[in-house]
Amino acid sequence: MTRPDKLNAISPAITAAFWEATRRLADDDSLGCMIIAATGRYFTAGIDLKASAKQRTDESDAMSSRPGWQYRRAYREHHLLYDEFENLEKPIVLAAQGTCLGAGLEMAMSCDFRFCTPTAEWAVPEIRLGVLPGSGGASRLARIVGPAWAKYLAMAGRQIDAEKALRIGLIHDIFPAETFAEDVRTFCLDLCELPAEAVGMTKTAIDIAADIADRSIQRQVDRLVNTILVHSDEHKEALNRYR
């Protein structure tokens, strides 16, 4: 994302670009991973409120009697996009070189891995506008960092630095600004060397386990996934390399 005059705010055009990139990742077997990156002082300031409001106004003429329905319909584009990030059986990595706010943090939490520089800060400030972060911000926060920190961020509207984000499990690592792009790329290249089928199914199994409280069902999922993987060509080739 490169919109320096808008602090990389997420416009409908950027959302459309994310959809296109996600479909390419899903359809092209030569692509093993996707990195979401930006340039400038901010990773993103969140949703471009003016651009999004204009789009809703342009689209609402035919639905003027149901503005709430029209709003939710437009909003769903983000819900479905972030759900697709989670459902896609390939790794998606968010590399925040700067501060990440609002919808940017919601997007980050739908990615598999999150990295940032030491100066990056994180927040979902929607509560200050009298709303909650509705594109998964509240629910994914509770899932990733637990209800206590979710309330600190989404309910109290507090902003945290990179070290605290790492400590509470919101991000995976902090890389120096000077080598940030290289460090993220190295991580992703290592991911791409792993057996792709196993990576995809492990992602799915972990997400299922995170949504199911019953541990016996979690173990059944593990066994079912491994029953498939142990018969895969990838597994057989990996075993041969270690013999």
Side-chain angles (χ1 to χ4, degrees):
M1 294 184 289
T2 305
R3 301 182 72 208
D5 57 322
K6 298 291 187 180
L7 299 179
N8 295 333
I10 300 171
S11 65
I14 287 181
T15 299
F18 282 142
W19 270 112
E20 180 182 354
T22 303
R23 293 187 184 103
R24 285 186 58 202
L25 181 65
D27 295 340
D28 190 340
D29 288 341
S30 71
L31 300 177
C33 178
M34 181 165 75
I35 303 172
I36 300 176
T39 61
R41 184 163 56 96
Y42 276 62
F43 174 77
T44 179
I47 286 289
D48 186 333
L49 295 175
K50 289 185 178 179
S52 297
K54 183 179 184 303
Q55 182 189 43
R56 289 198 301 271
T57 300
D58 292 344
E59 293 176 351
S60 64
D61 291 343
M63 294 296 300
S64 58
S65 63
R66 299 179 64 188
W69 184 92
Q70 187 67 21
Y71 173 81
R72 289 188 295 275
R73 178 170 174 264
Y75 209 0
R76 189 167 169 76
E77 282 293 299
H78 291 282
H79 292 174
L80 293 175
L81 175 63
Y82 301 159
D83 288 349
E84 186 65 13
F85 283 3
E86 290 181 330
N87 293 332
L88 186 58
E89 292 185 19
K90 289 182 179 181
I92 299 179
V93 175
L94 186 129
Q97 89 297 345
T99 293
C100 182
L101 304 179
L105 178 48
E106 292 180 297
M107 177 171 62
M109 291 186 294
S110 68
C111 297
D112 301 297
F113 303 99
R114 295 168 290 280
F115 302 109
C116 73
T117 62
T119 59
E121 297 196 344
W122 304 81
V124 277
E126 283 84 347
I127 194 70
R128 301 185 185 280
L129 297 175
V131 295
L132 61 77
S135 293
S139 57
R140 285 192 177 97
L141 269 174
R143 188 170 183 251
I144 291 172
V145 303
W149 284 109
K151 288 178 180 178
Y152 185 83
L153 287 159
M155 182 178 168
R158 302 304 294 268
Q159 189 160 308
I160 60 174
D161 61 19
E163 287 293 340
K164 183 170 285 186
L166 180 63
R167 190 162 67 248
I168 69 175
L170 183 60
I171 62 171
H172 293 88
D173 210 344
I174 302 169
F175 296 136
E178 298 77 15
T179 60
F180 184 65
E182 180 183 347
D183 291 339
V184 172
R185 181 173 172 79
T186 297
F187 177 86
C188 292
L189 289 174
D190 288 343
L191 274 179
C192 291
E193 291 298 319
L194 298 172
E197 183 72 1
V199 167
M201 296 197 73
T202 300
K203 172 178 176 174
T204 300
I206 291 170
D207 283 342
I208 291 173
D211 290 333
I212 296 175
D214 190 318
R215 293 186 179 182
S216 64
I217 296 177
Q218 293 175 4
R219 305 299 179 264
Q220 293 282 23
V221 170
D222 289 346
R223 285 191 285 273
L224 286 171
V225 170
N226 244 11
T227 300
I228 298 170
L229 291 176
V230 295
H231 294 96
S232 68
D233 291 338
E234 285 181 345
H235 179 61
K236 294 171 185 176
E237 291 170 3
L239 286 180
N240 288 333
R241 288 197 297 272
Y242 286 98
R243 284 172 179 164

